[in-house]
Amino acid sequence: MPLGAVAAALRSPLDRGGGRRDSAVSYNDGGGVVDDDRGGSSFGAGGGGGKKGAFGPSLSKKPKHSSSSSGGGAGGGGSASASASSSAKPRLVQRTSSVDTRKDVTHLTWASLLGLLKFREYFVTVDHFSIWRRHLSWAKEDGGQLRTLMTQKFSTNMVFMSLLLGAELNVLFNSSHITTQMRQDMRDSNHGSIEFWIGMCITTSVVLTLFTLLSTFTAWGMVSVVSDENAHCVLRSSIGQYVCFLPSRLILTAIYSFLLWMVMFLFILLPKFWSLLLLACVVALFFHIVTVFSAFGRLILHSGALGTSRIFDPDFERELLPRGLHTSLLFKATDELRKGTSVTRQYREPSRPIGQVDHDDDDYGASDDDDDDLLGGHSDHRGGG
């Protein structure tokens, strides 16, 4: 993509219309134009005529009195040029618009990934299934790194579940009228009362949370003592994968039971219309959150983002806007699913980075035809192919 096209995409409609600039910071120091927008900057040598910014002169404004200093090197310099250069003050312009005019994220962003999901992943995020732990076990080549990831997850779960347990016990044993009636219905086995079933859900949630804390604490203590040299063989084994993800499944059941009794409370605290309205909002938000993170997880797995090999060639990646990155990652994930690449082969024989021209085919498991399919028939010839 030509740099002029990148510059045109980065400018806001105000900039094109002669209004306020869209760049973050821009000033002229007498020797050349400096533009700090998106990290693109270029410094001109003093007295050398001044160099353009990284994205061309259209992205940089000069003060009105700096025209003589910008070309001061053409006539060998002079007192007039030097005085104009010294009197030029930095001009700072900050982007103030909160509107995403480039549409980096739209409502179709997550919807375009729904084709990667299985049906069950609309209800439970993909990181709670076996495919996630298989990818994680084989993607990390350093045993110490894999063990550190597991222990960090355990520590986070301990803190979260401790807070959840405190909230559940506070609701179960507080002295409010509703919870007092709930405990009375539980003692009387009043199965026709909604308070009875709320109490059963809270009690179940408390038990699940306690066992989650027990399993997480035990797994944390055992996994943390495994050496770096043997972490791979232990954590990649069947029992190792089951032990590491058992607390995660208990957390899932505890959270879902917590959500269930919270929703049931709506029908006690609110009229029927408002309770149904809030229930619809809860269900819609629940499915949105689960599908978004399941889709993102599938994209991480099938694009090879867990591995150490690059997905894109660095030069090619720098030219892509957020929408281009999203589309290319989706093509990559879809192609891996189409080829049916196994988990072990995906990380042992990684595909050639997208957009790479000068390469050695022996280092990667993909061919030129595979890369052409990923790019939709467009190839990059900046490397002189």
Side-chain angles (χ1 to χ4, degrees), residues 42-331:
S42 178
F43 294 84
K51 295 175 70 176
K52 296 179 181 178
F55 294 120
S58 59
L59 287 181
S60 302
K61 282 189 177 180
K62 301 177 183 179
K64 296 180 179 179
H65 302 290
S66 62
S67 59
S68 59
S69 62
S70 60
S79 58
S81 176
S83 61
S85 175
S86 60
S87 63
K89 296 181 179 180
R91 177 180 175 84
L92 303 179
V93 180
Q94 182 179 358
R95 182 187 296 115
T96 58
S97 176
S98 60
V99 180
D100 184 11
T101 57
R102 291 184 292 274
K103 302 294 183 182
D104 291 340
V105 180
T106 66
H107 65 283
L108 297 177
T109 299
W110 66 276
S112 62
L113 300 174
L114 295 181
L116 301 175
L117 301 184
K118 306 293 184 181
F119 177 75
R120 60 185 181 181
E121 293 165 6
Y122 286 87
F123 304 93
V124 181
T125 53
V126 69
D127 60 313
H128 294 287
F129 293 108
S130 59
I131 186 174
W132 182 270
R133 59 176 178 260
R134 287 201 306 269
H135 275 267
L136 184 61
S137 299
W138 291 99
K140 305 304 177 183
E141 300 177 357
D142 184 10
Q145 183 185 13
L146 181 60
R147 186 198 60 207
T148 301
L149 288 175
M150 293 292 101
T151 54
Q152 287 178 350
K153 185 176 182 179
F154 293 151
S155 62
T156 304
N157 293 343
M158 287 288 294
V159 175
F160 174 73
M161 298 310 294
S162 299
L163 296 174
L164 188 63
L165 178 63
E168 293 168 345
L169 292 176
N170 186 36
V171 173
L172 184 61
F173 295 109
N174 68 41
S175 58
S176 67
H177 171 71
I178 296 177
T179 54
T180 301
Q181 182 65 37
M182 177 188 69
R183 292 191 296 269
Q184 184 64 38
D185 290 341
M186 292 176 66
R187 285 194 298 267
D188 298 339
S189 299
N190 188 6
H191 301 118
S193 172
I194 188 174
E195 286 86 354
F196 171 83
W197 296 107
I198 291 176
M200 291 296 294
C201 289
I202 295 177
T203 305
T204 303
S205 182
V206 169
V207 173
L208 290 173
T209 305
L210 284 173
F211 281 111
T212 300
L213 288 172
L214 176 62
S215 62
T216 303
F217 181 77
T218 305
W220 189 4
M222 290 185 174
V223 172
S224 61
V225 299
V226 179
S227 63
D228 294 352
E229 292 77 13
N230 298 315
H232 261 160
C233 63
V234 172
L235 299 180
R236 283 179 176 177
S237 64
S238 298
I239 185 60
Q241 294 186 34
Y242 183 77
V243 165
C244 289
F245 282 86
L246 177 60
S248 179
R249 292 187 173 184
L250 291 175
I251 288 174
L252 181 67
T253 56
I255 292 176
Y256 279 23
S257 61
F258 179 89
L259 182 63
L260 179 61
W261 64 260
M262 284 292 296
V263 171
M264 294 173 69
F265 260 124
L266 296 177
F267 293 91
I268 296 179
L269 301 176
L270 296 173
K272 184 176 181 181
F273 171 77
W274 292 107
S275 59
L276 291 176
L277 180 61
L278 285 178
L279 177 61
C281 294
V282 169
V283 171
L285 188 59
F286 170 81
F287 280 108
H288 178 71
I289 292 175
V290 173
T291 53
V292 165
F293 285 100
S294 291
F296 185 58
R298 280 285 181 176
L299 187 67
I300 291 175
L301 295 180
H302 300 302
S303 64
L306 288 175
T308 57
S309 301
R310 297 190 65 96
I311 301 176
F312 298 102
D313 179 74
D315 294 332
F316 180 78
E317 181 179 349
R318 280 192 290 268
E319 294 186 2
L320 293 177
L321 295 175
R323 288 172 294 176
L325 289 170
H326 172 82
T327 304
S328 300
L329 289 172
L330 178 58
F331 286 165

Side-chain angles (χ1 to χ4, degrees), residues 329-345:
L329 289 172
L330 178 58
F331 286 165
K332 171 73 171 179
T334 305
D335 185 71
E336 291 293 338
L337 286 175
R338 179 181 59 83
K339 293 189 297 185
T341 307
S342 64
V343 175
T344 55
R345 183 182 178 185

